[in-house]
Amino acid sequence: MLCSFILATVLLAAGNCQQLLQKPEVICNAEDITVVAQFDGPFSGRVYPKGLSKFENCSMNGDGRSSEISFTVSLFGCATLPKENATDTELQYSNVVVFQRHPMLVTGNDLAYRVHCNYALGEKTVASDVTVEMVPTTALATATPELPACYLRIKLGASPDDDIVDRPVALGTLLTFTIEMGQSDVYGFTVSSCIARDGMGMGEQLIIDAQGCAVNEDIFGDLVYDAANARVYRTFQAHKFPTSGQVYYQCNVKLCIHGRCEIVRILMPFSKSMQLLVALVTSINKNISSSSSTSHNMLVTQFHS
């Protein structure tokens, strides 16, 4: 027993001897985040997102020969989270990366870093003009309506006015999926292409298709739009993937001018034939109208566990 204790102590000390020479470097790529760390000696421990040390596709082991560790984690799995309230000018993703210095044991000397990647987005319009000896023209400032914020939230209960889920729930619990837009006299919105993910990159299910209709009403029914076109909701029963206890929801939200939004109006319980009739009438009205609509796309995400 004494020999075993001494051996364990020596191994623990050996596993904890690596020291960082400087703060890790974060590299933001199109589909993943790379964290590069330089130690003062060969690294033989493990690197993984917080809480995912047992998932091989989300972790790596030091080879015990190199002192530089380069660890890459996907933007779309392995507990990488997008920032809530993403806008048209910026997307942000974050994760917590753990450097476990010992190959087997978690100790108080391990390091954990929260890494962020900000992706700037946007559009720019350029123009020019020439005046040909006419009445002088004075340029006025261009007015642009403020873009409202959009939020995806999961509520506990059968009403979109219930409280947000803030704790684990049991399978089959009645929940309400809501997407809400900030107050706007100009914009409304439509929702399409909603998916549920396990956050591990191993499970993904389309629940609302590109036309804004439910894919499988036994799991998740058609969305309900309120009269003001400022909120969309759907009551459903809690579900999960076999691979994770967390479920991440993501939808495409398209902003549109009030009165010109092409909303899939499905009044329950419509039959499929009635749904097709509504879609046909919408298409005919679109072709008759000569006015064009202005829209803007953004991504909203939220999860519950």
Side-chain angles (χ1 to χ4, degrees), residues 20 22-27 34-38 68-71 99:
L20 274 176
Q22 59 187 7
K23 289 185 178 180
E25 177 186 6
V26 178
I27 302 172
T34 299
V35 182
V36 181
Q38 185 71 46
E68 182 178 288
I69 298 298
S70 180
F71 176 66
F99 290 85

Side-chain angles (χ1 to χ4, degrees), residues 153-155 157-160 174-179 207-208 214 217 219-225 231-237 266-268:
R153 297 186 173 104
I154 307 299
K155 306 292 185 68
S159 169
L174 197 61
L175 305 174
T176 301
F177 175 100
T178 65
I179 296 180
I207 55 177
I208 298 294
E217 295 186 5
I219 297 175
F220 196 97
D222 287 306
L223 297 172
V224 178
Y225 288 78
R231 180 164 64 179
V232 172
Y233 61 93
R234 165 50 57 192
T235 300
F236 69 104
Q237 291 184 330
I266 300 178
L267 304 179
M268 303 303 290

Side-chain angles (χ1 to χ4, degrees), residues 26-64:
V26 178
I27 302 172
C28 301
N29 305 309
E31 297 185 358
D32 51 51
I33 302 173
T34 299
V35 182
V36 181
Q38 185 71 46
F39 290 86
D40 61 358
F43 183 83
S44 58
R46 289 175 52 76
V47 186
Y48 49 85
K50 184 178 179 180
L52 302 183
S53 61
K54 296 182 180 179
F55 291 85
E56 294 183 0
N57 62 323
C58 296
S59 61
M60 67 170 289
N61 297 319
D63 58 11

